[in-house]
Every structure is written in C-alpha cells, then in structure tokens.
Amino acid sequence: YSPIEIDPSRLENIRDIDTYLRNRFSEENIRKKLPENHEALLEIKEAAIRKSEGNFLYIRQFVHALEQNQIDVNDVSSFPDGLIGIYITFFDRLFSGDVEYDEFRSLLEVITCLKTPFSAKELSPIVGMAEFEIRRKMENLAAFFTERDGSYSPYHKSITDWLTGAVGKGGRYLLDMGRARQVVCEYYLGRYKKGEFDAYLIRYLPQHLMEGEMLGELSDLLLDFRFIIQKCREGLVYDLIKDYRAAMEILPDTCQSMKEEKEYLCRMEDYTRQLVADPGHASEATSRIPSLVPWSDKQIEHRIKEMEQSIKVADLFTLFLQFLDAQAHLLYRYGKLDGYVLQQAYNFALRGPFARAVDDYTGSSISYKMLFTPQLRKPFNPFDPIVRIFQEHTERVHGVSITYDG
C-alpha cells in the first residue's frame, strides 16, 4: 500500500478546480444567481479558489451553498475561509441560538459515534426520539449528514473532525463524544443482557466498550460463551481474535504482559531484518537479543497448578485466546452449526480454568454428538508447544518459512 500525496497548491489541481467552477457556473440554475459582468464573475471564481486553498471539497460545498442562496456573490470578502469556514457559516445560519442547536446535538453525537450509517428507525430507540422528528431534523443537515438508502452518515470525515474538535475549534457546536459513547454502550449492553443479539452488536460492541473505557463490561462480554457463539455464527472468528488482542492491550490485568510481548517481538523483527541485510553486524554480541530461557518441567507443573487453584482474568483471556487461535479455521468454517463452538471448546481441554468455564456455561445438559471421552480430551497445558495443527491441506508442501518470532 503506497498512498499518493496530492499537493493542493499544484498547478494541475488549481486547473481542475478552475474547470469544475467554469462548468458549474454555466449551469442554468447557478448562472442566474451570478452577475453577468465578466470581470465580476472572474473575481468570484478567483476568490473561491483562493479561499479553498486548493481543497476540492471546499469548492463542492461552495457551489452547493451558492445553489441554496447561502453565499453573497456581491461581497467576495465574505466568502468562508477554508472548509472549516464553510461549516461555521452554514451552522451559524441554521442555528440562531445554543438552545436550538442542543436539540440536534445528542442526535449528531450518536450518528458520529456509530461505526456504520443508521436509519431513523434504528436511531430512534438509541437517542429516545421519534422517527419523524429524526427525519425532520436531518433534512436541515442534509448537506453534511447525507441520507443514503434511508440511513444517515457524515458526508466526509472533515465534518466530524471539526465537530469533535480533532481539527479546528468546534466552539459552541462541539459534540460531547464521551456522552455519546456512554449512550451507545448502555443501549447495546441492555440488548446484550436481554439476549437480543443483532449484527451491529456482535461486530462492534467490543470496540464501543473499549472506546467508552467500560473495561469490566468488556471483560465479561469477551469471556461469555453466548457472545463467542454469536460471533462465530456470523463468521467473525478472526474479528473476535482481534477483539481479544485489542482488549488485552488495555485491560489492567493483561496490558503490561502484552506491552512486554510487543516490545520483544519488535526487537526480534528488527534483529531479523538486520540479520538478513548485514549478517556480520547482526551477529555481533552488542546487537544480539538474548533468547528466552525455556522453563523446566517442574516450573511448568508449578504454574499449571497455580492457574488451576487461583483463576485470574489474565489467565482466562490467555486460555480463551489460545482456544480461538488453535480452532480459528474450523470455527470459521463450521461455527454456524448449532453446538459446534461448544463442542470444540469442550474437547479442547480436560480440566483447568477454560474447561471449568465450558462446564459452568453448559451445566450437565451438554449432549452434542462429537464429544471426546475423557481419555481423548487434552490434559490442561497452556504451555503446549503445539500451537496449531494445520488441517485439511491435501496437496504437497514444497517449502516452510519460519517467521521472525519463531
């Protein structure tokens, strides 16, 4: 991936903007709003290009404002400065006072917080506003919060950057995103507790809980087999693994170990690159990375016993993630089948915190067909060197590559 950076001040870009304005100014509905004098028309065009600072988005919004009679073509000095200036001018004209804007604020906060466009019907129970009222309000903001297929979303990232204070100063139009995150989290947590799983909740609730810093609820969600089953049923097992890793980077019980692991892997990756580029230099003692010292069998047995006797959140997350990593391919393929996730979880280990979590969820009523006998279930060993068994590959293996982390 190699993005191309566009310089707004380049002559080619200015020419494109000039051509666009000439074409739009020649349209009947716009031409009648402009002066007939050629010099005055040229002054309007040059002022628009200058104020845009080469930003094509500004020009599009400028022309739209011209169509809506929101630009005074007789006073080029009044043209908004930059894209933020366009937004401020529009909002100032639409909202005469803070009270009036406050009626819109909570709605815009939720729309901005959500990860995908929502319809008025979907927004209604979240913001506590009637569908008709939502549609009526959003018509006023159609220039910046567009409706596509009945759902609303910001037309461009720049409008939300301004409203959230990420770019420029939102001033009295600033959105309280902390409040928005709380509203969205509480709504979807309520649905989750009632067992009302929908596609949005399954995909995005972990992200919302992370952003809302509701870490206790996040931990409970990711260790709940109901949620794991629903996520796998939607074919989102790899997204679930990402949720676990992201959560472990911010949860108090796991963040330090994740940070240390990340730092070690980064050092290993850098060392491997050096080794490939310059073997002589990388082999010097000063640039070497000390290898991890393997644990003895006695140390492993002691840690296993410790994990079995005292269950910690960090250990549970590690074990659940090991299960998902090891079974990811099968869960992706067959996770839609009723009972499959629990069947694989039951077969994964004979005892230990993970096996107890499975037993606690299923009780004594588990009756799936493909359950292992106790003799076939793996003994509890979170330090098993076999991380994953590659399955279902029937062709020849022509080569194996070892990654930098071994």
Side-chain angles (χ1 to χ4, degrees):
Y1 175 64
S2 181
I4 298 173
E5 188 174 333
I6 298 174
D7 181 3
S9 63
R10 285 188 65 175
L11 186 60
E12 295 93 330
N13 187 53
I14 302 301
R15 282 175 181 162
D16 287 343
I17 291 175
D18 184 82
T19 303
Y20 175 80
L21 284 174
R22 252 188 296 116
N23 292 336
R24 294 304 308 271
F25 284 2
S26 66
E27 294 174 10
E28 177 67 24
N29 64 320
I30 295 178
R31 189 172 67 241
K32 61 186 180 184
K33 299 176 187 291
L34 299 169
E36 294 182 4
N37 183 284
H38 178 72
E39 284 76 16
L41 197 61
L42 187 63
E43 186 182 12
I44 291 169
K45 188 173 64 173
E46 288 177 348
I49 293 173
R50 186 172 64 255
K51 296 276 189 174
S52 75
E53 299 173 338
N55 189 320
F56 217 101
L57 203 56
Y58 174 98
I59 296 297
R60 286 180 57 193
Q61 287 299 326
F62 175 86
V63 173
H64 178 78
L66 198 60
E67 290 177 296
Q68 302 298 316
N69 298 314
Q70 295 170 347
I71 295 286
D72 183 1
V73 294
N74 297 313
D75 182 11
V76 295
S77 65
S78 69
F79 291 179
D81 292 318
L83 200 53
I84 300 301
I86 287 265
Y87 299 152
I88 293 172
T89 301
F90 177 87
F91 274 67
D92 282 346
R93 282 183 177 158
L94 184 61
F95 303 109
S96 56
D98 291 337
V99 175
E100 190 179 350
Y101 179 66
D102 283 342
E103 295 176 4
F104 285 76
R105 196 190 302 270
S106 60
L107 178 57
L108 294 182
E109 285 169 352
V110 168
I111 291 173
T112 302
C113 183
L114 292 166
K115 309 295 182 188
T116 61
F118 268 50
S119 67
K121 184 178 181 180
E122 293 167 322
L123 287 166
S124 180
I126 304 176
V127 298
M129 195 180 292
E131 289 179 48
F132 171 79
E133 187 65 16
I134 292 173
R135 284 195 290 269
R136 188 181 69 80
K137 288 182 183 302
M138 294 310 296
E139 279 180 10
N140 296 307
L141 294 164
F144 301 118
F145 287 83
T146 53
E147 181 186 2
R148 293 190 183 92
D149 300 322
S151 297
Y152 301 99
S153 62
Y155 89 112
H156 190 264
K157 185 174 177 291
S158 59
I159 184 70
T160 55
D161 283 347
W162 172 61
L163 287 170
T164 58
V167 172
K169 294 180 179 179
R172 69 188 183 98
Y173 304 116
L174 199 63
L175 302 180
D176 185 347
M177 295 312 296
R179 178 172 61 188
R181 293 185 193 104
Q182 186 175 1
V183 168
V184 172
C185 285
E186 287 178 355
Y187 173 75
Y188 277 105
L189 280 173
R191 296 202 63 178
Y192 156 68
K193 288 171 184 175
K194 293 176 186 174
E196 298 173 352
F197 291 92
D198 62 28
Y200 188 89
L201 184 156
I202 293 166
R203 184 181 286 271
Y204 295 113
L205 182 53
Q207 291 181 42
H208 281 298
L209 293 176
M210 287 182 227
E211 290 170 1
E213 298 181 357
M214 301 179 75
L215 303 186
E217 291 83 354
L218 174 66
S219 180
D220 292 342
L221 178 76
L222 292 178
L223 297 177
D224 184 351
F225 273 107
R226 288 187 308 157
F227 181 73
I228 294 170
I229 290 166
Q230 293 293 336
K231 197 102 174 179
C232 293
R233 190 169 284 165
E234 291 289 320
L236 298 172
V237 62
Y238 293 106
D239 291 73
L240 181 58
I241 290 171
K242 288 179 184 176
D243 290 339
Y244 267 81
R245 295 193 185 283
M248 290 174 74
E249 288 184 6
I250 61 173
L251 289 171
D253 296 305
T254 56
C255 63
Q256 186 57 37
S257 60
M258 289 294 287
K259 182 182 176 184
E260 291 171 1
E261 181 183 340
K262 218 171 188 178
E263 288 173 353
Y264 183 81
L265 291 177
C266 284
R267 289 172 63 203
M268 284 293 292
E269 190 172 3
D270 289 341
Y271 176 73
T272 305
R273 284 201 192 99
Q274 291 175 24
L275 190 62
V276 172
D278 187 357
H281 173 72
S283 62
E284 293 174 9
T286 53
S287 60
R288 286 182 192 166
I289 295 175
S291 300
L292 293 172
V293 179
W295 280 10
S296 65
D297 291 342
K298 192 173 182 180
Q299 285 175 303
I300 292 174
E301 286 173 16
H302 175 74
R303 181 70 180 108
I304 288 174
K305 194 173 290 185
E306 189 179 66
M307 289 175 76
E308 286 186 304
Q309 291 172 352
S310 177
I311 301 174
K312 296 177 182 176
V313 172
D315 293 337
L316 280 174
F317 265 85
T318 299
L319 296 172
F320 271 71
L321 186 56
Q322 282 182 353
F323 163 69
L324 292 170
D325 268 334
Q327 299 287 318
H329 176 64
L330 295 174
L331 294 177
Y332 178 76
R333 292 197 63 179
Y334 306 113
K336 294 180 176 65
L337 301 176
D338 285 341
Y340 185 81
V341 175
L342 282 178
Q343 167 192 293
Q344 296 304 102
Y346 178 86
N347 292 339
F348 188 67
L350 175 62
R351 57 187 176 85
F354 183 79
R356 276 205 295 279
V358 177
D359 292 339
D360 289 343
Y361 179 75
T362 58
S364 57
S365 60
I366 190 163
S367 57
Y368 305 117
K369 295 178 180 178
M370 299 292 289
L371 298 180
F372 288 166
T373 61
Q375 292 80 7
L376 291 174
R377 291 170 76 189
K378 287 196 318 182
F380 173 56
N381 181 9
F383 307 103
D384 191 341
I386 301 175
V387 176
R388 186 183 296 109
I389 298 174
F390 293 108
Q391 296 170 296
E392 301 188 5
H393 181 86
T394 55
E395 300 299 321
R396 288 190 177 202
V397 176
H398 296 284
V400 176
S401 176
I402 299 174
T403 59
Y404 63 85
D405 59 354

